[in-house]
Amino acid sequence: MLRALDAVLRGSASGIPKRFALLCLAGCWTGANAASSAAADGVLQRLMPGLAPQFALKLEQRADGRDYFRIGGSAGHIEVRAATMPTLLAGVNEYLKTVAHLQVSTNGVRLGPKGFVLPAPPAPIEKPAHYPWRYALNENTDGYTTPYWDEARWRREIDILALHGVNAVLVERGMDAVLYRTFRDFGYGDEEIRAWITTPAHQNWQLMGNMCCFNGPIAQALLDKRAASGRRIAAMLRELGIEPVFQGYYGVVPADFAKKHPGAHVIEQGDWGGFARPGWIDPRDPWFAKIAEAFYRYERELYGDAAADIPKTRDARGLPPLGELYDMEIFQEGGTAGDVPVGDGAKAVQAALLRAHPNARWMMMAWQKNPLPELVDALDPAHTLIIDIEQGRIARENRDMQFKGIPWLYGGLWQFGGRTTFGAPLYDYAVRLPRMASVPGNHIAGVGLFTEGLDTNPFAFDLYYDMAWRDAPVDLAAWTRDYAQRRYGGNDAHAERAWQIIAKTAYGFRADVVAVNDAGDRDAAHDSLFAAVPSLTITHAASWSPPTPRYDANEFRSALAELLQVAAPLRTTETYRYDIVDVARQTLANESRRLLPLIEAAYEAKDRPRFKALTGEWTRDIQLQESLLRTNDYFLLGAWLARVPPWASSQQELAQLDYDARSIMTTWSDRRSQDARGLWDYANRDWAGLTADYYLPRWRMYFASLERSLATGKPPETIDWYAVGERFNRSMKTYPAKAEGDPWRAALAIARALDLAPDQADAASKAEKTPP
C-alpha cells in the first residue's frame, strides 16, 4: 500500500488525478488496516527480526468500540490482540517489558541471546487505552534533531514510537513546498519566495511565525525532495494507523504582502531573537480566506487529509477520538494582534480550517502566555486541542478551568534545543498526571511528547509513554528496579543501585509550585559549562538553561562507580554501552560547575601557578570527554553532518546546508541574533568533534588571554566569539560518523581522573590487560 500511494503521488497512476486518487486510497485504507496486522508485523521484523516469528498479532475490535490490547499465548507463541495498530504494538512492548524483561528504546535495544524463547505470560494481560491521544514531537524537533534525516532513519523512529503506542506524530517536512506554492499564487516570483523560505534546520521557526529569510534562497530541487520525503513519511505513519499532524494556516505572510496587495491588513510582528518576524494578516481580511484556501488545497494535494484513513475507537472512559489535528502556534513567543480583536481573529482562523477540513481540530501549545484567554474564549472546544507543555516546570492544577472545556494533552518536556542534558521531573508524569486524570470531569485527552530534540533520556521516554496505560501513580523505586533489569538483563545489584541513584537525583527534581523568576528552563536539567561561551562567571551555556544544578551532583557521580562494576557480560549490550557513556559524560559535565569557581578565585587572587593547574585540569577534562564521546554513535558530530550531503545538488548547496546544520548548534544564526544573545549556544550538546573543535579551542583561547593578563597586568583582550563560531560553521571539516573505542575503558579513565574508580573496576581493567 505504501508503494501504491507513492506511485499515485508521483503521478504514475494512469488517468487518475492525483488528489482524487489520494483520497480514494485514504478512504480504502481503513478497511485494510482493520483486516490486517501486516504493517505491525513489519515493525517487529525491522526492530526484532529474531523474535518476530514468535508473535501472533491480530486486530480485533471490542463490542463496545473501545481501544485496548490483550496479551496471551504460550512459550514461543505470544498472542497480542488490539483494536488499532498502535495499541497492538503497545501490547507487544508491554509484553517485552513486563514478561520477557527485554527492551527496545530510543537509545539501544536488548533482545536477549540468539535463539531466545519468549516466555509465556503467567496470565492473560489486558489494558485499555486510557486516553484517545498519544502524541509525539515538538515543532522544534524538526530543527534540532530531524532536519536532514533520511527516510530509513525516520522509519526507525516511527517504529519505536509505534511500539510505545503513539498514534499521532507531527510532520513538518515539506511544508516549505506548501508555502512556496501558496505564495506563488499571490504575486511572488520564484526567487523572491525561495529567498523568504529558510533552510531546513531553521525552518520550523518560520512555520511558527518567529523568523524568515535566513541562509537562503532555498533551492527548488531541495523543496521538491523535501515534499516527496514528507509525503512518504506521512504514508509510513498512516500505514501503522498513526495520524500525521500537519501545519495549519493562521496568517503568516511575507512582511511586504500589503505592498503587493494594497489595502491588505498586515500587522507587523516585531523581532524574535534578532530576526524580523514575518507579517501576520488579519484573519478577518478577505485576503486571509483566499490564502488559507490555497494553503489547505496545496497541502491536501501533497499529503491528503490528516486522519482520513485512521480507524476510530474510544478510550477507556468511552470518549471518542478527537478528529484530525492541524498545528497552529499564533503569537508564539511574542508577536502582537495589533488592532485585531484576538477572539474575532481566532474564530476566523478556525473557520478557515473547518472549511477545508470539517472534522479538524486546531492543535496548539500551552506555553508561556499562550493560549491567550481571549483566544480560548472564542474557540469551539469541539474543534480544538491544547498541548500543555509546562507541567514539568510549574505544577498547574487548574488547567481545566483555564482551558474552559477544551480537551488537552499532558505534555512531556524535559529537554531543550536537542541538548544532551541528563534528567527529567518524572514525579510530575508518574504521580501528578494519573492523579489529575482521576479527577471527575477532567478534560485530559492524552499525553504528548514535546521534548525539543530526540534520542536522549531513554529512561524518561520509557516511563512517560508507560503512563498512557496506567490509571494510578507509579512507585518510582519499583519501576526503576524493573527498568535496570530489562535494560541490561539479569539482576545485577550494581546496575540497580546505579539506576536508583540516577532516579533519585537526575530524575528526582519536580515542577515548582509557583513560577521561579529568572531560573531558566527548570523542567530540564542544567547543561555543561564546558559548552558555554567562556567566562569566569558563566552559570549556564544556553541562555535559559537552569543556572544552578537541578539535583545533587555529588550524589549523582556515585552512579558512575556503580555502573562501572556491572557484570562484564552485561556490559556488551547496546543499552549499557550507551548508558555508561551518558552517565560518565554527565558526571564530567557536572565537574565543570565545581572547577570554574576555583579558576575564578585563582585568577582574582592573581595566583598564576594555581590558575595554570586548574585550567589544565579543565582542558584535560574536556579532552577526556572527547575521548569518551567518540565511543558511541549517539554522541558524534560526524553522524549529524553525514546526513546533510544527500540533500545537496551542488557543492555550493552543500556548503549552504552544512552551515545550516552546524550553526543551529553554535551561533544559531548570523550576527544579528548574536547581538540579541538569547540563542547563543542554545542547542549546545556534548558531541565528539563539537567538543574537540569548537568548545575546547574557545576555552584555550580564553584562558590564554587571562594568562597574558596576569603576566602583563593589562586587561584581557576582547575576543569576537561570533567570528570564532563562524570559522567553525564554515569549515566544512568532516568527522567520523561511526563510533570507535571501548566506552567502558573511556568511562573508567574519567572515574580515575575524578577519584571515583572503584577498586573492583580497576582490578578488572588490569586483569583484562594481563596476558595469560
Side-chain angles (χ1 to χ4, degrees):
M1 183 61 73
L2 184 59
R3 281 192 288 269
L5 177 60
D6 190 52
V8 167
L9 291 169
R10 288 174 181 270
S12 59
S14 61
I16 303 175
K18 290 183 184 179
R19 73 184 69 177
F20 297 117
L22 175 65
L23 293 174
C24 174
L25 279 174
C28 297
W29 211 323
T30 302
N33 271 346
S36 172
S37 65
D41 292 328
V43 171
L44 303 193
Q45 288 290 345
R46 290 186 292 272
L47 291 180
M48 54 193 84
L51 298 181
Q54 298 184 57
F55 284 98
L57 309 183
K58 184 176 182 181
L59 286 166
E60 186 173 272
Q61 301 293 317
R62 280 183 17 167
D64 59 9
R66 297 184 181 184
D67 204 0
Y68 78 103
F69 62 72
R70 181 178 174 84
I71 305 164
S74 56
H77 185 78
I78 308 304
E79 299 174 354
V80 183
R81 301 177 183 226
T84 65
M85 203 85 69
T87 47
L88 188 64
L89 289 164
V92 171
N93 199 31
E94 176 75 9
Y95 167 82
L96 292 174
K97 289 165 60 173
T98 63
V99 180
H101 305 297
L102 303 175
Q103 187 178 67
V104 176
S105 84
T106 55
N107 303 82
V109 172
R110 192 191 71 81
L111 295 172
K114 185 177 181 180
F116 181 70
V117 177
L118 293 173
I125 301 168
E126 183 165 333
K127 285 191 174 184
H130 289 294
Y131 312 102
W133 285 115
R134 299 173 299 277
Y135 170 87
L137 300 192
N138 188 307
E139 292 89 350
N140 295 357
T141 304
D142 198 51
Y144 292 132
T145 297
T146 66
Y148 293 102
W149 276 7
D150 59 20
E151 285 155 40
R153 181 63 186 85
W154 261 111
R155 169 64 87 180
R156 179 169 179 81
E157 198 73 20
I158 289 169
D159 285 350
I160 291 172
L161 291 171
L163 198 69
H164 287 79
V166 170
N167 63 359
V169 172
L170 182 66
V171 177
E172 291 185 306
R173 180 172 291 178
M175 289 299 159
D176 43 5
V178 176
L179 288 176
Y180 174 83
R181 296 183 188 190
T182 297
F183 287 106
R184 288 284 279 139
D185 283 0
F186 291 90
Y188 285 86
D190 166 65
E191 292 187 8
E192 192 176 16
I193 200 63
R194 287 192 294 107
W196 182 68
I197 296 172
T198 64
T199 40
H202 293 78
Q203 195 176 105
N204 150 70
W205 290 274
Q206 183 161 12
L207 297 177
M208 293 194 294
N210 298 122
M211 62 179 286
C212 71
C213 321
F214 176 68
N215 195 34
I218 193 167
Q220 182 63 59
L222 182 58
L223 289 174
D224 294 341
K225 288 177 185 177
R226 285 172 53 79
S229 178
R231 185 168 63 233
R232 289 191 287 271
I233 290 167
M236 291 179 196
L237 293 167
R238 289 188 176 108
E239 182 184 40
L240 292 171
I242 299 172
E243 175 182 332
V245 178
F246 297 133
Q247 180 72 30
Y249 185 73
Y250 59 94
V252 168
V253 295
D256 64 351
F257 188 87
K259 292 181 181 178
K260 288 186 178 289
H261 303 283
H265 188 201
V266 176
I267 295 90
E268 292 184 3
Q269 294 297 292
D271 293 341
W272 177 86
F275 290 99
R277 302 174 73 120
W280 182 60
I281 191 164
D282 182 350
R284 302 168 304 167
D285 189 303
W287 282 109
F288 176 88
K290 296 174 185 176
I291 300 169
E293 187 280 327
F295 180 94
Y296 288 121
R297 173 164 40 85
Y298 285 125
E299 187 176 58
R300 179 181 281 116
E301 288 180 2
L302 281 170
Y303 304 104
D305 290 338
D309 52 353
I310 306 302
K312 309 301 182 186
T313 58
R314 295 176 178 270
D315 69 5
R317 297 171 293 178
L319 297 177
L322 300 180
E324 55 198 275
L325 304 178
Y326 287 84
D327 180 42
M328 292 181 276
E329 304 304 332
I330 194 168
F331 311 133
Q332 200 270 341
E333 294 183 353
T336 176
D339 60 355
V340 178
V342 170
D344 292 347
K347 287 180 180 178
V349 170
Q350 191 169 56
L353 171 63
L354 296 177
R355 280 195 296 273
H357 303 284
N359 296 318
R361 283 183 182 257
W362 176 350
M363 186 186 86
M364 66 186 70
M365 290 187 286
W367 170 247
Q368 298 181 351
K369 296 180 180 180
N370 286 351
L372 297 173
E374 311 95 288
L375 187 144
V376 170
D377 287 339
L379 295 179
D380 180 354
H383 292 283
T384 312
L385 178 68
I386 297 172
I387 304 182
D388 181 7
I389 62 173
E390 291 202 321
Q391 289 292 348
R393 176 177 301 189
I394 304 168
R396 300 186 185 275
E397 306 285 339
N398 60 342
R399 286 306 209 187
D400 280 318
M401 181 181 69
Q402 291 177 336
F403 298 156
K404 300 184 179 180
I406 294 175
W408 58 283
L409 307 185
Y410 194 105
L413 173 57
W414 53 81
Q415 184 247 47
F416 293 83
R419 300 195 287 266
T420 45
T421 51
F422 195 122
L426 292 193
Y427 172 88
D428 297 290
Y429 307 121
V431 178
R432 286 185 53 241
L433 165 58
R435 283 180 180 169
M436 290 172 67
S438 69
V439 175
N442 77 85
H443 290 86
I444 298 176
V447 296
L449 180 73
F450 233 73
T451 53
E452 288 190 347
L454 298 174
D455 298 340
T456 67
N457 292 284
F459 183 84
F461 180 95
D462 194 344
L463 184 137
Y464 179 72
Y465 277 124
D466 203 20
M467 298 313 300
W469 308 97
R470 294 177 181 264
D471 58 2
V474 166
D475 180 333
L476 281 170
W479 195 94
T480 300
R481 180 196 63 230
D482 294 342
Y483 179 87
Q485 181 182 2
R486 64 178 177 266
R487 186 78 174 158
Y488 309 139
N491 288 291
D492 189 280
H494 292 292
E496 182 180 344
R497 280 199 292 270
W499 276 102
Q500 293 295 354
I501 292 166
I502 293 167
K504 181 181 176 183
T505 54
Y507 295 110
F509 63 92
R510 301 183 184 185
D512 299 309
V513 176
V514 295
V516 177
N517 292 330
D518 301 321
D521 298 327
R522 289 175 59 80
D523 28 8
H526 50 278
D527 56 12
S528 171
L529 299 188
F530 294 140
V533 173
S535 164
L536 293 180
T537 58
I538 196 73
T539 58
H540 43 78
S543 294
W544 298 284
S545 189
T548 56
R550 295 293 279 129
Y551 53 83
D552 186 337
N554 284 327
E555 186 174 2
F556 177 87
R557 72 203 307 250
S558 61
L560 176 57
E562 292 292 346
L563 274 185
L564 284 166
Q565 297 177 80
V566 166
L570 306 188
R571 300 202 306 258
T572 63
T573 60
E574 186 181 15
T575 44
Y576 177 88
R577 291 169 69 85
Y578 172 84
D579 290 344
I580 192 65
V581 171
D582 203 21
V583 172
R585 174 203 60 75
Q586 188 59 49
T587 302
L588 204 53
N590 290 342
E591 183 72 2
S592 69
R593 293 176 177 272
R594 182 191 70 83
L595 268 179
L596 193 59
L598 300 178
I599 294 172
E600 181 193 15
Y603 178 77
E604 294 297 334
K606 296 181 171 51
D607 186 342
R608 292 180 66 190
R610 181 162 173 75
F611 178 81
K612 187 171 183 179
L614 288 169
T615 56
E617 187 176 346
W618 181 277
T619 56
R620 178 211 65 182
D621 285 353
I622 296 179
Q623 290 169 314
L624 283 170
Q625 177 177 281
E626 173 73 14
S627 297
L628 172 78
L629 298 173
R630 289 176 181 172
T631 67
N632 192 272
D633 289 345
Y634 285 95
F635 299 96
L636 301 180
L637 174 63
W640 168 266
L641 295 177
R643 298 195 179 280
V644 176
W647 294 95
S649 300
S650 67
Q651 280 301 116
Q652 180 180 358
E653 188 180 12
L654 176 58
Q656 177 192 30
L657 300 184
D658 188 81
Y659 176 81
D660 184 46
R662 289 171 186 257
S663 63
I664 194 74
M665 297 180 292
T666 56
T667 59
W668 211 94
S669 62
D670 55 25
R671 195 176 286 276
R672 291 172 302 168
S673 183
Q674 289 304 292
D675 291 341
R677 293 301 297 259
L679 296 173
W680 199 318
D681 287 315
Y682 178 84
N684 72 81
R685 48 198 76 180
D686 299 344
W687 280 0
L690 196 61
T691 295
D693 285 359
Y694 184 56
Y695 301 140
L696 180 57
R698 289 198 306 189
W699 282 104
R700 280 178 166 162
M701 192 182 306
Y702 180 63
F703 289 148
S705 75
L706 297 183
E707 179 67 33
R708 286 191 294 272
S709 175
L710 289 175
T712 64
K714 297 179 181 179
E717 59 262 35
T718 300
I719 300 172
D720 185 347
W721 294 119
Y722 176 73
V724 172
E726 275 293 276
R727 285 197 294 273
F728 175 81
N729 294 342
R730 303 286 183 185
S731 71
M732 295 291 290
K733 179 179 176 180
T734 59
Y735 296 86
K738 286 293 181 183
E740 54 187 22
D742 184 340
W744 184 79
R745 289 190 180 281
L748 181 60
I750 289 170
R752 286 172 174 161
L754 301 181
D755 294 324
L756 286 173
D759 293 339
Q760 182 178 336
D762 258 335
S765 176
K766 292 173 183 176
E768 289 176 16
K769 289 181 179 179
T770 304

